[in-house]
Amino acid sequence: QKEVEQNSGPLSVPEGAIASLNCTYSDRGSQSFFWYRQYSGKSPELIMFIYSNGDKEDGRFTAQLNKASQYVSLLIRDSQPSDSATYLCAVPHSGNTPLVFGKGTRLSVIA
Amino acid sequence: GAVVSQHPSWVICKSGTSVKIECRSLDFQATTMFWYRQFPKQSLMLMATSNEGSKATYEQGVEKDKFLINHASLTLSTLTVTSAHPEDSSFYICSARPRPGEGYSNQPQHFGDGTRLSIL
């Protein structure tokens, strides 16, 4: 069974700061990695996915993947109060589904 | 983008009642649908995987006789919680995987909005 580990937080950052969220995974053979954002009482929504080592940027979000160290991170620049949510790291169980989720990191951006 | 509709969004019912939750892929065909459950302040836990026209595969610890899954078509899967009890109260989320060739290749799974089930 694949395991995905995240620090549950809460992680508090001031508005405008960079929020850094980390995730480690157990299966060295994993090929794709997903970050979801989940607001309280809502379904998760995809923020970013990454397949290759290195950085991938999309607007204020940057995903970083290091397969050798088996970790993937998400950076949120210029954090806004609306970014306050739980961020879930997900790795496919086999092939590309089903997704196995970490417990999530709760982010709180303080205005 | 791909849309997955889940209904109802919220259910409150008495203990012992059976509750059916529907999951529909509106603009794509899904050979596989997944059912997750999420308790407060916990992550999404996969309950079962359903493939169109065949029996669902349940994760360890999930009672197949209590959580009946039917995937009768390429666009519809249902989860029935039979004789629900307060400990079954949770947030149930379905997710659908598009059939190969449908597009939407940037995401392996598309999620419904979830069903909050409260058993009194």
Side-chain angles (χ1 to χ4, degrees), chain A:
Chain A
Q1 177 70 21
K2 291 190 175 184
E3 293 184 358
V4 180
E5 299 289 338
Q6 293 181 259
N7 187 323
S8 62
L11 173 65
S12 294
V13 300
E15 183 175 359
I18 296 175
S20 178
L21 305 159
N22 299 311
C23 170
T24 59
Y25 57 94
S26 62
D27 187 348
R28 188 171 289 277
S30 297
Q31 296 294 318
S32 54
F33 307 87
F34 300 82
W35 280 102
Y36 284 81
R37 177 175 62 196
Q38 187 178 27
Y39 292 110
S40 181
K42 301 295 184 181
S43 193
E45 56 178 319
L46 183 67
I47 298 296
M48 289 195 70
F49 59 91
I50 186 167
Y51 299 131
S52 304
N53 271 331
D55 295 1
K56 179 181 178 182
E57 187 174 317
D58 184 1
R60 295 187 296 113
F61 299 96
T62 298
Q64 299 176 318
L65 174 61
N66 184 322
K67 290 186 178 181
S69 300
Q70 294 177 237
Y71 84 78
V72 57
S73 62
L74 179 69
L75 301 179
I76 306 175
R77 289 182 300 282
D78 188 24
S79 296
Q80 302 296 310
S82 58
D83 294 326
S84 298
T86 297
Y87 289 80
L88 300 164
C89 175
V91 178
H93 180 261
S94 63
N96 64 346
T97 54
L99 291 173
V100 176
F101 287 87
K103 291 186 177 181
T105 298
R106 189 154 53 93
L107 173 67
S108 179
V109 180
I110 311 300

Side-chain angles (χ1 to χ4, degrees), chain B residues 73-92:
Chain B
S73 76
L74 286 173
T75 59
L76 173 64
S77 176
T78 61
L79 167 68
T80 300
V81 184
T82 61
S83 186
H85 291 284
E87 59 266 29
D88 299 320
S89 299
S90 188
F91 190 47
Y92 292 84

Side-chain angles (χ1 to χ4, degrees), chain B residues 3-117:
Chain B
V3 178
V4 175
S5 173
Q6 190 172 338
H7 178 80
S9 57
W10 193 30
V11 180
I12 300 177
C13 57
K14 294 180 180 179
S15 183
T17 305
S18 291
V19 177
K20 179 186 282 189
I21 303 170
E22 290 189 351
C23 180
R24 294 180 184 274
S25 55
L26 298 186
D27 53 357
F28 65 95
Q29 293 186 324
T31 51
T32 305
M33 289 188 175
F34 308 97
W35 288 94
Y36 290 84
R37 178 169 55 183
Q38 186 177 36
F39 292 108
K41 299 191 188 303
Q42 296 189 24
S43 190
L44 283 74
M45 297 301 296
L46 181 67
M47 298 175 67
T49 300
S50 74
N51 293 296
E52 186 266 337
S54 63
K55 291 184 178 180
T57 302
Y58 291 81
E59 295 299 303
Q60 189 173 10
V62 178
E63 300 175 58
K64 64 180 181 180
D65 294 331
K66 182 169 185 63
F67 299 99
L68 302 178
I69 292 173
N70 183 284
H71 192 158
S73 76
L74 286 173
T75 59
L76 173 64
S77 176
T78 61
L79 167 68
T80 300
V81 184
T82 61
S83 186
H85 291 284
E87 59 266 29
D88 299 320
S89 299
S90 188
F91 190 47
Y92 292 84
I93 307 172
C94 76
S95 179
R97 180 174 73 187
R99 188 174 61 172
E102 287 272 2
Y104 309 118
S105 58
N106 63 331
Q107 289 193 56
Q109 295 177 219
H110 301 270
F111 289 86
D113 288 337
T115 297
R116 185 157 304 282
L117 176 62

